[in-house]
Amino acid sequence: MSNSDYLCPVCGEGNLHAHVGKNPVEYKGRATELELHFSLCDACGSEQADAGQTRTNKRLMNAFKKRADGLLTGVEVRGLRERLGLSQAEAAQIFGGGPVAFSKYETDDVVQSEAMDKLLRLAVGLPAALELLRHRAGVDRVIAGEEWHAAGNWHPAALGARSVSGPVRLISSSTPCGEQEARYAA
């Protein structure tokens, strides 16, 4: 059902039609124009926003605030998480913020704290920090493909000075996930 199928709740006579305008905003001395999503009644001219339009407007404002504050935008958080090879659930376990935190950060529903932003950037810049956080959260590292084949010849003595912290889950890239799996504790 589109907005044009809705009867105007103000006048009860006209239909609402979706529009996108421009909205000048300012935050911490930075000014811009953001898209403004709303509906307009074709009879009385009243402007109103439904829940979806309000959510879109909020996300646009949150993305602007993140840029103004020097924080990662939702798109950047998602790219960083994917670069780390983490699902949203794994990222939440490792970094905190709650079970759906990364979904909210990535859609710009919520502005992550400065501390969370710094922690994410640290994990990308310092892989050992990510591995420590992963280990403390009890999140296994999943390796596949070439890493799996290299690990297939693994023997404890072969590690020498190089060790893996935390449990590692090996999954063959030639079989579906979970069918052929072995766990090794470091």
Side-chain angles (χ1 to χ4, degrees):
M1 185 180 274
S2 70
N3 276 357
S4 62
D5 295 330
Y6 291 111
L7 191 62
C8 176
V10 175
C11 70
E13 296 177 17
N15 289 312
L16 299 176
H17 300 279
H19 287 275
V20 177
K22 292 292 183 182
N23 184 30
V25 295
E26 186 176 332
Y27 175 75
K28 291 189 175 179
R30 288 190 61 188
T32 193
E33 276 193 352
L34 297 177
E35 285 185 350
L36 178 65
H37 297 258
F38 64 98
S39 295
L40 185 63
C41 175
D42 59 12
C44 69
S46 71
E47 296 177 358
Q48 46 202 290
D50 64 20
Q53 292 165 327
T54 301
R55 182 175 42 254
T56 298
N57 294 335
K58 178 185 174 193
R59 287 175 174 173
L60 291 168
M61 186 63 187
N62 280 345
F64 171 62
K65 285 180 176 181
K66 286 179 178 185
R67 286 189 302 275
D69 288 338
L71 300 176
L72 297 163
T73 64
V75 170
E76 292 168 331
V77 170
R78 179 179 180 169
L80 187 144
R81 176 185 56 77
E82 289 174 346
R83 183 172 160 200
L84 294 174
L86 301 172
S87 69
Q88 288 180 341
E90 289 170 330
Q93 283 180 277
I94 292 168
F95 299 110
V100 294
F102 279 80
S103 172
K104 291 180 179 185
Y105 300 152
E106 293 174 15
T107 58
D108 291 320
D109 280 337
V110 171
V111 176
Q112 70 274 12
S113 68
E114 186 177 342
M116 176 63 78
D117 199 84
K118 287 179 180 180
L119 187 58
L120 293 171
R121 291 173 194 259
L122 176 70
V124 168
L126 190 58
L130 173 63
E131 291 307 314
L132 177 63
L133 293 169
R134 182 190 295 274
H135 176 71
R136 288 190 174 168
V139 177
D140 295 345
R141 179 161 184 248
V142 176
I143 61 175
E146 301 233 355
E147 287 183 346
W148 185 84
H149 293 291
N153 297 324
W154 175 81
H155 296 286
L159 281 178
R162 186 170 181 241
S163 64
V164 178
S165 62
V168 176
R169 188 169 26 148
L170 304 172
I171 300 175
S172 169
S173 59
S174 62
T175 59
C177 239
E179 268 186 24
Q180 186 177 357
E181 181 176 311
R183 288 183 173 231
Y184 297 91

